[in-house]
């Protein structure tokens, strides 16, 4: 074995503590990068593969009632490759031993559904139903949430008649990956999707040879806008609510938001993570190599060339960094696999395809290896150019920064600490930046909890304080409020209407719902992101900022409103206000204004009920008998569904990244302390020989580290807020917005982790200082 190889092994063993911490820093950065990008890429690939296999439709439309004889005319539209005409109906659902209000979306199931050309179902358990029977299929999300299995029965109230349905299979559909339907949030615990025999559903709804929903697949060369226009014109006499593309389909839109959040989260934070890790490696390796100038001088004196010495130290840097990359790749692979499999309980794909692109492995490793090699090369090149005799001497003391302080007022040890920081400003700066990077990542990985808590507090406690929210199949008269107030336990009731519209501005158009609210509403209020109540204008529209942004309008602009209620009226309406919304693409108006605009009397489609918890079971028992009810959610169930679909996954990801950031904090502070000890070992040993105890000497070093740490924490706070701002800016919200809220608890947690990392590093340095051989250190200087 060559001498330099033996030296390399000895140095690795001597520096094993520092080498391990550096490798862990690299491993955490690489693992975070690989795991997040692989999860995002795998979810996208799984979604696209499932959509392709299941022949997910491109266009959708709901009508009041259309004859099946119209299907031939639809098929003749140029650009349509395949279609699926079906019946859909919202019905109250009863499930044994479940006291909650449950609802079902009943969907007709043709005999050939398992070989359909549009929206193919994927059978997960059981079998296909027999033709013309009451055997049905249920979606996997609801079945899993309520522990329903093939062989169980449920009861659905269809147009006032209760029918018992036998579940023979559990299935998935590309239309309901998240169990989302129009006008409601994804909620697998309250909403079941049930596919039943087409003829049976036709008879139950008295809609023989008719359909009320259409899904269309387009040919590759089809002009979607032309198809939409022709299809709209054809279906307009049958109460069409407007054709909309896949991007506006509720499940796909909600799924895209979830994956989009992961894309931003998996792009921004791990990239910054890898950059911080590379920066830390660069700083630490630079100082590590610089501290060994005397060994380099000795090698030059023995005849080794500068190139050979440089290669030796670059090998040291490469071994440490490469080992960290290897650990990070393995950890990132398994972590990404775990994160991807976790989504199986949320995203109901037929199967998941986990993959790690070689590019995702190359990028973080290239960043850290390049940073480490550049650091080693810069440090070695400055020394190998020196002569052996010149390199043997300690470097001249740094002049530092001109200090205009009254140091004579300080005690000797305090002056030594101040001078130590001021004479090595770059070292102090790099240590502060590295620690600040770890603090920033901690904030960037944990602020989501504050944001979600604020969102829930504003939206579901202040804006929607009602205990229960009810939805109805069709528009009802306003006297419904009086009837609901007479139900058992009801303390207060407020009703409101909603109407499906398409808002148009120049070449922009958006499908949404205008919700009608009176100014005095208390159980349903409009609130901005700051939690302030926004008044409903007496005329015109009030838009959420995301909807206004997509339409390109501002207060004072005019919009064309096309009502999607079958009559297809179009009116010009003034935008009276725009507010910062938290949930959805909001549009609000006063009920009297909408009544004047449409020429219809005010109507009711939703209601908010205030009722004590102990009286809710009695109210639920009554509501179960109503054939007009299409949805009923308690505030608690809404909160539970929201947390299950959004907060849970982010909490897991942020927890992992927070643990990685803590490792970075320990790594940078510990390495800084160890290198500072190596740089000042002769001074500290001299003080020990002069009679100072370890307890008196250690503060000279540890106080300097503590000062750098305390300076780094506020810098990290600012950088962490900037990371949060960047991620919020990159988000493209569809169903809800992430508010930029970073609480004091998050700042405190980041500071606490940094301080604990500093204490652990201080303890290790103290132990090292206490066991230092003073004579050996002083002889080395000689």
């Amino acid at each position: 074995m060559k001498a330099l190889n033996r030296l390399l092994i000895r140095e690795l063993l001597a520096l094993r503590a520092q080498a391990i911490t550096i490798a862990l820093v690299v491993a955490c950065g690489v693992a975070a990068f690989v795991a997040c990008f692989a999860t995002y890429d795998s979810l996208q690939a799984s979604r696209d593969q499932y959509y392709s296999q299941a022949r997910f439709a491109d266009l959708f439309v709901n009508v009041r009632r259309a004859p099946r004889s119209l299907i031939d005319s639809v098929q003749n539209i140029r650009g349509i490759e395949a279609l699926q005409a079906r019946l859909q109906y919202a019905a109250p659902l009863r499930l044994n031993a479940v006291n909650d209000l449950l609802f079902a979306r009943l969907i007709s199931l043709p005999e050939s559904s398992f070989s359909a050309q549009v929206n193919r179902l994927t059978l997960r358990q059981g079998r296909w139903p027999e033709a013309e029977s009451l055997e049905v299929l249920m979606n996997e999300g609801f079945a899993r949430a309520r522990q329903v299995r093939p062989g169980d029965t449920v009861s659905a109230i269809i147009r006032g008649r209760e029918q018992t349905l036998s579940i023979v299979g559990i299935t998935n559909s590309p239309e309901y990956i998240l169990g989302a339907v129009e006008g409601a949030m994804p909620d697998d615990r309250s909403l079941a999707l049930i596919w039943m025999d087409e003829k049976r559903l036709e008879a139950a709804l008295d809609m023989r040879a008719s359909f009320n929903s259409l899904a269309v697949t387009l040919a590759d060369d089809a002009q979607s806008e032309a198809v939409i226009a022709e299809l709209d014109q054809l279906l307009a006499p049958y109460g069409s609510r407007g054709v909309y593309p896949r991007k506006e389909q509720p499940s796909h839109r909600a799924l895209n938001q979830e994956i989009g959040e992961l894309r931003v989260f998996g792009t921004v934070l791990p990239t910054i993570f890898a950059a911080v890790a590379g920066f830390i490696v660069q700083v630490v390796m630079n100082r590590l190599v610089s501290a060994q100038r005397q060994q380099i001088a000795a090698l030059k004196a023995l005849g080794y060339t500068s190139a050979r010495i440089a290669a030796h130290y670059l090998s040291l840097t490469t071994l440490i960094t490469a080992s960290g990359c290897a650990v990070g790749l393995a950890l990132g692979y398994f972590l990404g696999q775990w994160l991807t499999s976790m989504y199986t309980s949320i995203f109901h794909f037929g199967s998941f395809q986990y993959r790690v692109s070689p590019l995702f492995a190359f990028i973080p490793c290239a960043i850290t290896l390049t940073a480490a090699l550049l650091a080693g090369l810069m440090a070695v090149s400055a020394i190998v150019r020196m002569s052996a005799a010149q390199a043997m001497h300690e470097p001249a003391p740094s002049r530092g920064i001109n200090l205009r302080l009254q140091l004579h007022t300080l005690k000797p040890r305090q002056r030594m600490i101040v001078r130590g920081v001021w004479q090595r400003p770059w070292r102090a700066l790099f240590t502060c930046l590295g620690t600040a990077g770890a603090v920033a990542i901690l904030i960037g990985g944990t602020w989501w909890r504050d944001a979600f808590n604020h969102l829930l507090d504003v939206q579901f406690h202040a804006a929607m304080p009602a205990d229960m929210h009810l939805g109805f199949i069709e528009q009802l008269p306003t006297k419904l409020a009086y009837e609901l107030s007479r139900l058992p336990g009801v303390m207060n009731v407020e009703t409101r209407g909603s109407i499906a519209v398409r808002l148009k501005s120049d070449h922009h158009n958006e499908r949404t719902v205008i919700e009608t609210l009176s100014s005095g509403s208390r159980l349903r209020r409009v609130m901005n992101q700051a939690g302030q109540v926004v008044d409903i204008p007496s005329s015109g529209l009030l838009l959420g900022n995301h909807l206004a942004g997509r339409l390109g309008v501002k207060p004072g602009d005019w919009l064309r409103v096309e009502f999607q209620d079958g009559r297809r009226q179009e009116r010009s309406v003034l935008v009276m206000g725009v507010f910062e919304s938290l949930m959805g693409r909001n549009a609000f108006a006063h009920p009297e204004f909408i009544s004047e605009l449409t020429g219809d009397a005010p109507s009711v489609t939703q209601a908010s009920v205030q009722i004590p918890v102990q009286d809710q079971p009695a109210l639920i028992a009554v509501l179960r008998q109503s054939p007009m009810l299409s949805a009923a959610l308690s505030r608690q169930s809404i909160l539970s569904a929201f947390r299950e679909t959004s907060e849970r996954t982010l909490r897991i990801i942020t927890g992992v990244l927070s643990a990685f950031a803590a490792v970075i904090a320990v790594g940078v502070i510990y390495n800084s302390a160890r290198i500072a000890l190596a740089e000042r070992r002769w001074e500290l040993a001299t003080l020990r020989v002069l009679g100072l105890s370890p307890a008196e000497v250690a503060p000279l070093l540890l106080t300097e580290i503590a000062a750098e740490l305390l300076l780094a924490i506020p810098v990290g706070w600012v950088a962490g807020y900037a990371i949060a701002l960047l991620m919020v800016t990159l988000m493209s919200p569809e169903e809800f917005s992430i508010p930029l809220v970073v609480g004091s608890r998050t700042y405190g947690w980041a500071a606490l982790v940094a301080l604990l990392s500093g204490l652990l590093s201080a303890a290790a340095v103290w132990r090292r200082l206490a066991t230092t051989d003073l004579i050996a250190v002083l002889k080395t200087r000689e």
Side-chain angles (χ1 to χ4, degrees), residues 265 335 338-339 342-343 345-346 445 449 646-659:
F265 199 89
L335 180 61
W338 175 66
L339 289 174
M342 181 190 67
Y343 280 94
S345 62
I346 302 174
R449 183 179 298 243
S646 297
E647 188 184 16
R648 183 181 59 180
T649 55
L650 287 175
R651 189 191 309 128
I652 293 173
I653 295 174
T654 54
V656 171
L657 292 179
S658 296

Side-chain angles (χ1 to χ4, degrees), residues 155-416:
S155 298
I157 301 176
I158 307 176
R159 298 194 67 184
R161 296 180 57 188
E162 185 171 351
Q163 295 201 22
T164 300
L165 308 176
S166 176
I167 301 168
V168 297
I170 307 299
T171 188
N172 283 331
S173 167
E175 279 189 278
Y176 304 105
I177 289 177
L178 279 177
V181 297
E182 282 197 280
M185 293 178 56
D187 184 8
D188 283 335
R189 293 190 57 82
S190 300
L191 177 66
L193 302 164
I194 293 178
W195 288 264
M196 64 182 297
D197 180 75
E198 185 174 78
K199 292 184 179 179
R200 282 281 188 174
L201 189 56
E202 283 181 352
L205 298 178
D206 193 21
M207 292 183 67
R208 291 176 176 82
S210 302
F211 68 91
N212 61 12
S213 178
L214 190 67
V216 173
T217 298
L218 298 177
D220 294 337
D221 59 347
Q223 299 292 326
S224 60
E225 295 297 329
V227 174
I228 290 175
E230 193 169 349
L231 195 56
D232 262 335
Q233 184 178 5
L234 180 65
L235 296 175
Y238 303 97
S240 169
R241 296 185 179 181
V243 181
Y244 57 94
R246 179 190 293 180
K247 66 179 182 180
E248 296 183 18
Q249 199 269 341
S251 174
H252 178 74
R253 194 171 64 199
L255 176 62
N256 272 3
Q257 168 135 340
E258 293 283 344
I259 296 180
E261 289 171 0
L262 184 61
R263 174 184 59 81
V264 174
F265 199 89
T267 301
V268 175
L269 202 56
T271 300
I272 296 174
F273 212 124
V276 169
F279 169 76
I280 292 171
V281 170
Q282 183 179 11
V283 172
V284 171
M285 293 307 301
N286 193 341
R287 292 170 60 182
L288 185 64
V289 175
S290 298
Q292 298 196 16
R293 58 182 287 147
Q294 292 186 344
Q295 289 91 325
I296 294 174
L299 291 172
K300 294 194 71 174
L302 292 174
Y304 287 94
T305 65
S306 297
R308 186 67 185 90
I309 296 173
H312 163 73
Y313 279 97
L314 292 180
S315 298
L316 174 65
T317 304
T318 303
L319 279 175
I320 296 174
T321 309
S323 61
C325 288
V327 173
L329 289 175
L331 181 60
Y333 177 85
F334 291 108
L335 180 61
Q337 192 173 41
W338 175 66
L339 289 174
T340 303
S341 64
M342 181 190 67
Y343 280 94
T344 57
S345 62
I346 302 174
F347 299 160
H348 305 300
F349 298 138
S351 62
F352 271 86
Q353 176 187 352
Y354 180 68
R355 65 186 189 184
V356 180
S357 169
L359 182 64
F360 301 151
F362 172 76
I363 291 176
C365 293
I367 291 174
T368 51
L369 279 170
T370 301
L373 289 174
L374 286 176
L377 188 60
M378 290 170 61
V380 172
S381 62
I383 297 175
V384 296
R385 288 196 298 266
M386 300 180 184
S387 64
Q390 184 182 4
M392 281 290 185
H393 294 285
E394 289 288 331
S398 173
R399 294 182 61 183
I401 299 174
N402 187 18
L403 207 57
R404 299 182 182 274
L405 297 175
Q406 299 296 326
L407 295 184
H408 65 272
T409 62
L410 302 177
K411 295 180 181 180
R413 279 180 292 181
Q414 294 173 338
R415 287 200 295 270
M416 292 179 66

Side-chain angles (χ1 to χ4, degrees), residues 279 427-437 707-709 711-713 715-716:
F279 169 76
R427 188 193 70 185
L429 176 62
F430 289 151
T431 301
C432 286
L433 290 178
T435 308
E708 295 168 347
L709 177 59
L711 288 173
I713 288 175
V715 175

Side-chain angles (χ1 to χ4, degrees), residues 720-732:
Y721 187 87
I723 292 174
L725 176 61
L726 176 63
M727 286 191 280
V728 168
T729 303
L730 293 176
M731 292 286 184
S732 55

Side-chain angles (χ1 to χ4, degrees), residues 39-47 259 262 343 347 349 352:
T39 301
Y40 167 69
D41 186 55
S42 298
L43 288 177
Q44 272 201 319
S46 299
R47 180 200 62 189
I259 296 180
L262 184 61
Y343 280 94
F347 299 160
F349 298 138
F352 271 86

